[in-house]
Amino acid sequence: MALYSDKVMDHFRNPRNVGVLEDANGIGEVGNAKCGDIMKMYLKIEDDIIQDVKFETFGCGSAIASSSMATELIKGKPVSEAMQLTNKAVAEALDGLPAYKMHCSVLAEEAIQKALDDYHSRSENK
Ligand code: FES
């Protein structure tokens, strides 16, 4: 069996939603101290819906594929649904990741949660 699924390879080679959202109202950046990889998520939320999402990942192939898949999973979804997104769901949507690469999908979950926290604190301070 190949180490990486076709979906992982596809999202690594052709990542969806890469870039910066200038008008983001929720931004989250996380890193993994062990490998040094960094992921940044930008959310544009309107009427409680994730209207747009982009990411920048300085990291391994699994981290890039995880961020790409995670953006696809939350785009167009209500905030409440995005808050439930787990790294396990991201890995499952990618048809699995090798066990020692699961931590890469954790970055995607954390970056989205952090961006949602940022969105919530901004709206509280309005
Ligand atoms: Fe660092 Fe994958 S090895 S996120």
Side-chain angles (χ1 to χ4, degrees):
M1 205 190 95
L3 190 54
Y4 293 109
S5 71
D6 290 346
K7 271 197 194 162
V8 173
M9 293 312 292
D10 177 35
H11 279 264
F12 166 59
R13 292 201 176 107
N14 309 295
R16 329 301 198 251
N17 307 309
V18 177
V20 176
L21 267 186
E22 297 297 346
D23 57 347
N25 52 4
I27 300 175
E29 184 174 329
V30 291
N32 180 309
K34 270 196 186 153
C35 63
D37 291 352
I38 297 167
M39 191 183 291
K40 196 165 181 181
M41 282 281 169
Y42 300 84
L43 304 176
K44 173 76 190 159
I45 300 171
E46 259 166 40
D47 301 327
D48 241 28
I49 301 285
I50 316 275
Q51 303 287 354
D52 206 358
V53 47
K54 288 209 185 295
F55 77 91
E56 291 177 305
T57 292
F58 180 84
C60 73
S62 299
I64 292 169
S66 294
S67 14
S68 168
M69 179 54 88
T71 60
E72 293 267 89
L73 290 173
I74 62 164
K75 201 170 182 176
K77 298 278 167 56
V79 168
S80 57
E81 224 173 285
M83 286 171 73
Q84 308 293 324
L85 184 76
T86 62
N87 77 296
K88 240 181 125 214
V90 173
E92 269 165 26
L94 286 168
D95 290 339
L97 281 170
Y100 64 94
K101 282 287 178 184
M102 280 303 280
H103 75 271
C104 315
S105 62
V106 172
L107 274 188
E109 176 188 324
E110 289 178 349
I112 287 173
Q113 295 310 324
K114 209 160 174 194
L116 288 169
D117 285 349
D118 180 44
Y119 166 72
H120 284 127
S121 59
R122 287 188 203 205
S123 30
E124 273 164 24
N125 294 331
K126 255 186 200 166

